[in-house]
Amino acid sequence: MEPNAGVAAADKATATQVLSGHILVAGAGVSGKACARFISSLGARVTVADGSAEARETVAAELGVSTADPEVLIAGGVADYSLVVTSPGWRPDSPLLVAAQGAGIEVIGDVELAFRLDRAEVFGPQRTWLVVTGTNGKTTTTGMLASMMEQAAVRTGDTAAAVGNIGVSLFDALESPERISVLAAELSSFQLHWSSTLTPDVGALLNLADDHLDWHGSFGHYAASKAKALTGAVAVVGEDAAVVAECERLQQAGTLAPRVVRFSDTAPEAGNVGVVDATLVDRSTGQDLQLCSVAGIEPPGRAGTLDAAAAAAIARQAGATPEEIALGLAAYKVAGHRGEVVANINGVAYIDNSKATNPHAMGAALGGLDNVVLIAGGQLKGADVVPELRAHAHQLKAVVAFGLDRELVAAAVAAAAADVPVVVVEGTEPAGTMDDVVKHAAQHAEAGDTVLLAPAGASLDMYTGMAQRGDLFAASARALA
């Protein structure tokens, strides 16, 4: 598809002027360093602000740019800067960012910067931006989409890639010697919060549930940040109530994309994408097109089907053919810890969805599965798992609770699914505890059942991250064989 041409000449001029000012980069971590390197390589004057003296010294030595202590900047004023580019981890109420905005200095994120420079054609003709966001399913949907657009690129001669929070960084994509002309970008609510002119050629909001509320301050602010993905040429949206509400809010404000395509795992109405008789169907272009069977889609179950429907809807709006979508899905392999079948022992499937770090993700992981022995626990962060357990109680055969909030999980099962047996596993040693968890789960499973790791909680109570938790689950499951 042709890039969105709705950017005014004045906006382009503003974007090119970015490089002529004095830019303050907030944060000397991985993201901040990459941003500082990128814009300094383009000739911009850059200062990096960070509260860690050690981090400032490292950046100064590696990049040769000036650095500053945020407290010193706040005390002395920030009027010397023309723009602040913040790392995603800096909250909106960070004193330096508040001070900059109070002084009338614009604060943007690295994604917004990349978009402005691309739209200003600093790196050649404008690229096609396909943006994916949502509380859950972003990485899988983006991976599927990139695979579809790579198939389309064989026909068009373009180059497509997954960028943003997976695959290639946006800065590397813009600077790539081999031009990447189609960007399948997974973006977070943090990145979208700090955007103002980002208008994707196709933007998708998959779903919305409580997440990162400590950063955003409220669900309303979180949802509004996510919904910025829907303000471009085409919006692709899921059907949950919160997403529908955001679409209505944007429509009332006059900022919703002029074309909206909905996706689901049920028969779609005209203009949408869905599933009919276990076949992915596109009715978004006025035709009734069969894309492919949902059998074999990774990850298995409802979550994988919804992700595939979303990716297909985006790809169709970006010009991919039904054949290219089918080939892309066939070539796609699920990323680790997002629904991968890691073992199949005596007819029992063991599925690693360690990425399910909140109740909504746990519910999505359970979708489409029956006779499930669920492994849940970790750090619930105050989240209520009762509604999701109640909604999926009929699918549960047993629950194994572990980690910091194991007793809260057990209590939630008692409240939501009193007939479902619960095993509470003590222990804080990562590998040994996971071995015990998997052994207890296996005792409740028989041929045809599924043992599902979908914790609904964060992993840092016991593990270095969700990846280690998933890896140890896979190792424990395979050891049973």
Side-chain angles (χ1 to χ4, degrees), residues 379-403:
Q379 298 165 296
L380 296 182
K381 301 174 293 184
D384 184 5
V385 295
V386 170
E388 291 291 349
L389 288 172
R390 182 174 290 125
H392 296 280
H394 62 287
Q395 299 163 251
L396 299 177
K397 191 169 185 179
V399 174
V400 180
F402 75 118

Side-chain angles (χ1 to χ4, degrees), residues 194-460:
W194 294 116
S195 70
S196 55
T197 70
L198 174 63
T199 48
D201 297 285
V202 185
L205 178 55
L206 307 180
N207 45 57
L208 285 169
D210 287 356
D211 205 11
H212 302 304
L213 303 192
D214 54 343
W215 196 96
H216 290 279
S218 71
F219 179 76
H221 289 148
Y222 167 71
S225 293
K226 289 284 196 184
K228 288 185 177 184
L230 306 180
T231 58
V234 182
V236 171
V237 297
E239 294 190 330
D240 70 50
V243 173
V244 172
E246 280 303 305
C247 287
E248 292 175 349
R249 182 183 65 79
L250 292 176
Q251 191 169 39
Q252 292 171 0
T255 56
L256 181 65
R259 178 167 174 74
V260 178
V261 177
R262 301 189 184 280
F263 69 88
S264 70
D265 63 343
T266 58
E269 296 180 356
N272 300 328
V273 173
V275 177
V276 178
D277 295 331
T279 299
L280 205 57
V281 172
D282 172 33
R283 293 174 177 165
S284 67
T285 59
Q287 299 175 284
D288 196 343
L289 299 174
Q290 293 189 350
L291 303 179
C292 64
S293 169
V294 300
I297 287 176
E298 291 189 18
R302 183 170 185 262
T305 299
L306 284 170
D307 293 342
I314 302 166
R316 285 291 292 148
Q317 296 305 304
T321 66
E323 294 76 16
E324 290 158 354
I325 287 170
L327 288 171
L329 277 177
Y332 174 75
K333 299 302 177 186
V334 67
H337 319 301
R338 291 171 171 84
E340 180 183 8
V341 179
V342 297
N344 200 309
I345 302 167
N346 298 325
V348 177
Y350 289 76
I351 297 179
D352 169 16
N353 211 314
S354 185
K355 184 64 173 63
T357 56
N358 58 61
H360 186 266
M362 178 190 74
L366 281 163
L369 300 176
D370 290 310
N371 300 321
V372 177
V373 180
L374 174 67
I375 298 173
Q379 298 165 296
L380 296 182
K381 301 174 293 184
D384 184 5
V385 295
V386 170
E388 291 291 349
L389 288 172
R390 182 174 290 125
H392 296 280
H394 62 287
Q395 299 163 251
L396 299 177
K397 191 169 185 179
V399 174
V400 180
F402 75 118
L404 179 66
D405 289 330
R406 56 189 177 272
E407 296 295 346
L408 294 178
V409 171
V413 175
D419 294 336
V420 174
V422 181
V423 178
V424 177
V425 176
E426 307 287 342
T428 57
E429 194 281 316
T433 302
M434 186 59 77
D435 283 342
D436 291 342
V437 165
V438 171
K439 288 175 183 176
H440 281 291
Q443 290 171 0
H444 285 271
E446 57 188 3
D449 294 348
T450 299
V451 173
L452 172 67
L453 173 67
S459 56
L460 297 180

